[in-house]
Amino acid sequence: MEFEPVIGLEVHAQLLTEAKIFCGCSTKFGAEPNSHTCPVCLGMPGVLPVLNKKVVDFLIKMALATNCTINKKSSFARKNYFYPDLPKGYQISQYAEPPAEHGWVDIEVNGDKKRIGITRIHMEEDAGKLIHDEHGLASYVDLNRTGVPLLEIVGEPDIRSPEEAAAYLRRLHEILIYLEICDGNMEEGSFRCDANISLRPVGERNFGIRTELKNMNSFRNVQRALEYEIKRQRYILEAGGEVVQETRLWDDAAGVTQPMRSKEEAHDYRYFPEPDLVSVIIDDAWIEEIRRGMPELPLAKRERFVREYQIPAYDAGVLTASRALADYFEEVARLSGQPKAAANWVMGDILRFLNEEKKGIEACPVSPTNLAAMIRLVENQTISGKIAKEVSETMYRTGKTPEEIISEKGLVQITDAGVLTDVLVKILRENGEKVAQYKAGKEKLFGFFVGQAMKATGGKANPQLLNELLKKMLANQE
Ligand code: ADP
Ligand code: MG
Ligand code: ZN
């Protein structure tokens, strides 16, 4: 029997607000344990939470970017469970009345486009962090993270393969980063994913029993965990068994998923309305204000780059990987007036140099102005494309302008036909035998003569002129 995977992802994104969701404590990562706490986020009796408006701003941004319907009225609920990282004994979340729902994002896998539904997006508070003593003698609790705002993005079970799951995650990730509402750091846990997966016989309409996978801290691990789980469930079903509905943890070192302790599986959250918070009312004016401040989203930017700059979709994808890179490219394209050359130089040399040093475009020593100037110098034939390679590398190492580098190193292209003719006369004279072979039909030797002339001029000969002259001279040789 053939089985088909059914996958639905739940994503938690930590928001880049200054303050926590219900108190004024800082959200900064990496501070002294328990230093960013107050009676509210410590869950002391009698304190009252106050909603941080910024969190709602960010929710509206994400809802608009993922085509969600925004509900005018939503409310908070208490999700009750006992765990030492949750001082109140409940998490303030949203349940019955979510602020955003019925959205979607488009993904592409191996050239196939697909729309993945988003069930809902809601706001909630993060829990604290437990640090377990390696000898098993003690556990420590750090409540700095308690009350840090999260968006939970619940996806529809529309995903049919681990590749689609990774593509969907990458799409959400890039949107959050473009919106500047989440830093997207998976290792530090600011972007987390739980993956629900079940199998069903191909052609079956009902879903099978699912497991929920946790603890994957990279895109790759989400994919690996799903691949493993598909195999595991298939073995069970093929043997006539039944999948147990449970939460399983991905074990990166072992490359397997393992059941989580059973007491945590039996969920009864006893959700009920949060009596200490009023409903959230989002009016049209608020939505409009946020809409006006929205940046162009990655997919729209990609399509515009292809249209406006006539560059391949692949290139547009690379150049829009981050907002900063896209801005850099557009500045070079504008200043040079040559978008295609700009795309090639940014994607070629600039990204290669940056990757070698694991640096982002923000740290690029070559300013858009300098790169654009260099592209214009190639265009007006002051330097050849080959020399430009040397110039770009020197610009990167020194931060100097192309003009400075060209004059310091004497790299100006030779466009004087007289000078090049002299060079060629000498080369043809010294290689009489090869000239004869060329005349006898070995046309490949043309490249050899060009190479010799380039060598003799330190790569500075204007290639077109050189080719022209060489052709004429060879035709006139005896
Ligand atoms: P829970 O309350 O356990 O979080 P939900 O019904 O809200 O359950 O679903 C959570 C996630 O599981 C959603 O992303 C949804 O797409 C996915 N999901 C639901 N049913 C299945 C299934 N049978 N197989 C795979 N994924 C599923
Ligand atoms: Mg869940
Ligand atoms: Zn606090």
Side-chain angles (χ1 to χ4, degrees):
M1 196 183 280
E2 281 279 328
F3 290 101
E4 168 189 62
V6 172
I7 300 166
L9 303 184
E10 293 167 278
V11 167
H12 285 92
Q14 237 175 46
L15 297 181
L16 284 171
T17 53
E18 300 270 315
K20 293 185 178 180
I21 182 169
F22 300 122
C23 63
C25 291
S26 166
T27 57
K28 276 244 158 47
F29 183 82
E32 173 86 2
N34 299 305
S35 59
H36 293 165
T37 55
C38 73
V40 173
C41 55
L42 290 177
M44 295 296 175
V47 296
L48 289 174
V50 177
L51 177 60
N52 180 349
K53 178 171 177 286
K54 255 277 142 49
V55 176
V56 187
D57 287 345
F58 287 7
L59 168 104
I60 297 173
K61 275 192 184 174
M62 191 58 185
L64 290 174
T66 53
N67 311 291
C68 284
T69 305
I70 296 175
N71 295 327
K72 295 274 139 67
K73 176 171 173 279
S74 75
S75 58
F76 285 98
R78 291 187 180 180
K79 180 177 178 178
N80 299 277
Y81 65 93
F82 274 113
Y83 209 66
D85 63 6
L86 190 72
K88 294 196 296 292
Y90 58 84
Q91 177 193 29
I92 303 180
S93 181
Q94 301 194 276
Y95 190 59
E97 294 182 298
E101 52 192 337
H102 313 306
W104 44 264
V105 291
D106 287 331
I107 61 162
E108 197 176 317
V109 173
N110 303 326
D112 293 330
K113 292 199 166 81
K114 183 165 174 180
R115 182 158 290 183
I116 307 295
I118 288 175
T119 316
R120 54 186 275 155
I121 304 180
H122 68 249
M123 304 173 272
E124 61 185 29
E125 58 179 347
D126 209 346
K129 206 164 76 188
L130 291 181
I131 299 136
H132 303 290
D133 179 286
E134 56 182 302
H135 309 295
L137 296 174
S139 288
Y140 302 92
V141 62
D142 177 5
L143 298 177
N144 282 348
R145 206 177 65 181
T146 313
V148 168
L150 298 176
L151 288 186
E152 175 166 347
I153 305 158
V154 182
E156 287 288 300
D158 290 343
I159 297 168
R160 294 292 172 269
S161 71
E163 295 74 31
E164 285 183 16
Y168 168 79
L169 269 190
R170 281 181 208 281
R171 178 80 4 118
L172 289 186
H173 189 253
E174 74 179 4
I175 292 173
L176 287 161
I177 290 172
Y178 257 70
L179 294 174
E180 292 173 342
I181 63 177
C182 172
D183 70 19
N185 191 324
M186 283 182 95
E187 259 154 41
E188 284 176 8
S190 24
F191 181 88
R192 318 196 274 266
C193 164
D194 301 340
N196 295 271
I197 166 144
S198 60
L199 294 189
R200 64 179 173 187
V202 170
E204 168 69 50
R205 307 195 78 212
N206 294 322
F207 292 153
I209 297 167
R210 71 179 142 128
T211 57
E212 184 179 27
L213 312 181
K214 286 180 184 283
N215 201 35
M216 299 86 70
N217 61 359
S218 67
F219 294 110
R220 198 177 117 71
N221 280 345
V222 171
Q223 212 170 316
R224 284 174 70 207
L226 284 168
E227 277 157 10
Y228 174 85
E229 190 62 13
I230 289 171
K231 258 190 234 153
R232 193 188 68 88
Q233 292 190 12
R234 194 189 316 121
Y235 289 144
I236 293 172
L237 296 174
E238 279 171 354
E242 212 172 67
V243 173
V244 178
Q245 177 158 356
E246 63 186 354
T247 298
R248 300 177 67 88
L249 290 186
W250 170 247
D251 181 338
D252 188 27
V256 301
T257 65
Q258 255 145 11
M260 224 162 108
R261 278 161 300 150
S262 58
K263 66 172 183 194
E264 286 178 56
E265 290 158 25
H267 289 318
D268 179 7
Y269 291 131
R270 295 178 295 115
Y271 277 102
F272 62 83
E274 166 58 66
D276 290 340
L277 286 163
V278 293
S279 298
V280 183
I281 307 295
I282 302 173
D283 59 14
D284 290 333
W286 194 351
I287 297 173
E288 269 325 297
E289 184 196 322
I290 297 292
R291 198 192 298 277
R292 274 197 303 275
M294 291 277 281
E296 183 179 30
L297 292 171
L299 207 55
K301 210 185 261 297
R302 221 154 277 165
E303 284 165 7
R304 179 171 63 80
F305 277 20
V306 170
R307 213 173 45 237
E308 202 172 309
Y309 301 122
Q310 317 259 305
I311 56 176
Y314 175 83
D315 295 13
V318 173
L319 293 169
T320 53
S322 78
R323 246 167 103 176
L325 180 62
D327 289 348
Y328 182 96
F329 158 73
E330 287 207 274
E331 188 70 356
V332 178
R334 189 178 64 79
L335 293 171
S336 66
Q338 294 181 70
K340 278 189 186 169
N344 288 338
W345 282 103
V346 173
M347 288 178 61
D349 288 32
I350 297 295
L351 283 186
R352 184 162 50 79
F353 298 148
L354 289 170
N355 287 342
E356 277 165 9
E357 297 183 81
K358 297 204 170 8
K359 277 188 184 163
I361 192 72
E362 297 83 354
C364 184
V366 183
S367 68
T369 312
N370 284 349
L371 186 58
M374 191 200 78
I375 291 170
R376 283 200 312 269
L377 290 169
V378 178
E379 169 68 12
N380 70 22
Q381 308 210 341
T382 306
I383 53 173
S384 65
K386 186 150 169 270
I387 290 294
K389 286 275 207 203
E390 190 181 334
V391 174
S392 75
E393 171 135 22
T394 311
M395 285 200 296
Y396 188 87
R397 306 288 164 222
T398 64
K400 288 185 180 168
T401 67
E403 292 85 353
E404 279 173 319
I405 294 163
I406 290 163
S407 85
E408 273 171 24
K409 296 194 173 185
L411 296 175
V412 174
Q413 181 160 241
I414 303 168
T415 49
D416 184 326
V419 174
L420 292 182
T421 305
D422 288 349
V423 171
L424 287 170
V425 165
K426 187 158 174 278
I427 288 166
L428 297 186
R429 191 182 304 137
E430 283 167 3
N431 294 283
E433 203 174 306
K434 292 217 165 64
V435 173
Q437 288 172 355
Y438 177 85
K439 299 291 280 184
K442 201 168 172 192
E443 289 185 4
K444 271 198 301 200
L445 282 169
F446 194 83
F448 165 81
F449 299 124
V450 171
Q452 291 296 306
M454 279 298 182
K455 209 164 135 195
T457 57
K460 289 184 286 182
N462 174 291
Q464 280 112 310
L465 184 59
L466 184 71
N467 277 1
E468 254 169 58
L469 293 170
L470 180 60
K471 242 177 242 162
K472 270 192 214 144
M473 290 170 75
L474 283 169
N476 294 336
Q477 292 282 319
E478 297 302 298

